[in-house]
Amino acid sequence: RLRNVTNAFEDALSVPAAACVTKRLFGCDCEMWDADFFYMLADAAAMVNQYGRKEELCSFLEGLEEDEEGGREGSPSEFELVWRFANFTNRYYGPKFGASCFYDSRCAGDVSKATLNERSWRWQKCSELAYFQVAPQEGGEEGGSLRSRQVTLEYHLEQCRRIFGEGVGEPRGEEINARFGGARPKATRVFYSDFSDDPWQAASVLSEEDAEQPFELAVYDGAGHCSDLHEPTEEDHPDLVKVRER
């Protein structure tokens, strides 16, 4: 269903008369780079899961097959998919999510408009870590990518140039990994906490190597990015409590 949503947006942006209307549903400028828009669109879905709220995303996707009365004959039209996903995104994050400088390369490249937070993550990716999230190759058993085919490695590198200029070069992944140890960090007294619903766990250490680098993986539905940093509640899962206690 999420692939169907992405496909519907790709079709909408391929028609000049519909592209501007579609972007405006998120408060985005009509001149926003299409690839930037599709990166934002992918984040809109991915981060619901990333931050431990996958039930809300799944409930929305299940509801796409229903009309307002709970019944439906046939599949929703592409217009319905676009309109309803835009409404879901705006309700979940607020109306400024898609239109922020974080996703618009032109805005992120303007230091008079973009905040430090909107630029710092991009700089870390562009100059060091290369944590680029790209659309996998089409095909395979699952039938293709959840992300638009426009979200490629070339897009991310071009985004870096648009925001920071040609001088940014390419990420120094090998150099940074050699300096800090990569998957086996050269560190002491560091605690690694990861969570089963967080896609970023793959970028962390995956096991406990020694007592100087303790590691805990919390496994439960809704175990999201940085869950241990939230205010504790009585409803916290035992695995989350264990991470905090350790």
Side-chain angles (χ1 to χ4, degrees):
R1 290 174 185 174
L2 196 51
R3 289 190 185 95
N4 290 340
V5 170
T6 300
N7 291 338
F9 276 97
E10 287 186 317
D11 289 345
L13 262 66
S14 70
V15 180
C20 182
V21 175
T22 301
K23 291 177 181 177
R24 288 292 192 192
L25 291 174
F26 294 83
C28 300
D29 191 289
C30 291
E31 300 303 316
M32 183 181 188
W33 188 14
D34 285 0
D36 276 348
F37 179 83
F38 283 119
Y39 185 79
M40 177 275 297
L41 195 72
D43 258 15
M47 289 201 303
V48 180
N49 174 63
Q50 176 178 318
Y51 286 98
R53 308 284 286 275
K54 68 180 179 185
E55 278 193 15
E56 294 183 47
L57 177 63
C58 292
S59 294
F60 162 74
L61 292 172
E62 290 169 357
L64 285 178
E65 302 297 329
E66 301 176 352
D67 58 24
E68 292 182 357
E69 282 73 42
R72 170 169 294 283
E73 293 184 6
S75 300
S77 67
E78 288 200 328
F79 170 79
E80 287 179 289
L81 292 177
V82 165
W83 184 78
R84 291 171 74 171
F85 188 79
N87 283 347
F88 169 78
T89 301
N90 291 333
R91 287 196 309 270
Y92 187 87
Y93 297 104
K96 295 183 179 179
F97 173 77
S100 69
C101 282
F102 189 81
Y103 292 107
D104 192 325
S105 297
R106 295 172 308 158
C107 187
D110 187 340
V111 294
S112 68
K113 295 180 179 179
T115 66
L116 289 176
N117 280 344
E118 287 168 331
R119 289 170 57 85
S120 59
W121 173 235
R122 291 281 184 272
W123 175 254
Q124 191 174 24
K125 293 201 299 181
C126 291
S127 67
E128 295 184 346
L129 297 173
Y131 283 156
F132 298 141
Q133 300 162 51
V134 303
Q137 293 296 312
E138 292 298 321
E141 294 182 3
E142 298 300 323
S145 171
L146 299 179
R147 295 173 182 270
S148 167
R149 289 163 290 186
Q150 293 194 39
V151 184
T152 62
L153 175 60
E154 290 71 25
Y155 154 68
H156 284 285
L157 294 173
E158 175 60 24
Q159 183 192 60
C160 291
R161 290 189 287 268
R162 291 191 182 196
I163 295 176
F164 300 111
E166 294 292 335
V168 69
E170 292 193 358
R172 298 172 290 122
E174 291 186 5
E175 177 186 334
I176 297 299
N177 282 336
R179 179 179 177 185
F180 294 106
R184 295 177 177 272
K186 303 171 183 176
T188 58
R189 301 178 63 79
V190 176
F191 182 86
Y192 300 91
S193 56
D194 287 311
F195 299 87
S196 58
D197 280 357
D198 180 13
W200 285 103
Q201 64 179 288
S204 176
V205 300
L206 301 178
S207 62
E208 187 164 314
E209 298 295 329
D210 58 61
E212 288 289 346
Q213 298 187 81
F215 166 85
E216 287 283 348
L217 174 64
V219 181
Y220 59 92
D221 275 347
H225 198 65
C226 299
S227 289
D228 52 334
L229 303 183
H230 296 182
E231 186 75 14
T233 70
E234 292 183 357
E235 289 76 35
D236 285 341
H237 190 275
D239 274 17
L240 176 56
V241 175
K242 178 183 176 183
V243 169
R244 289 204 184 103
E245 287 179 345
R246 186 170 183 195

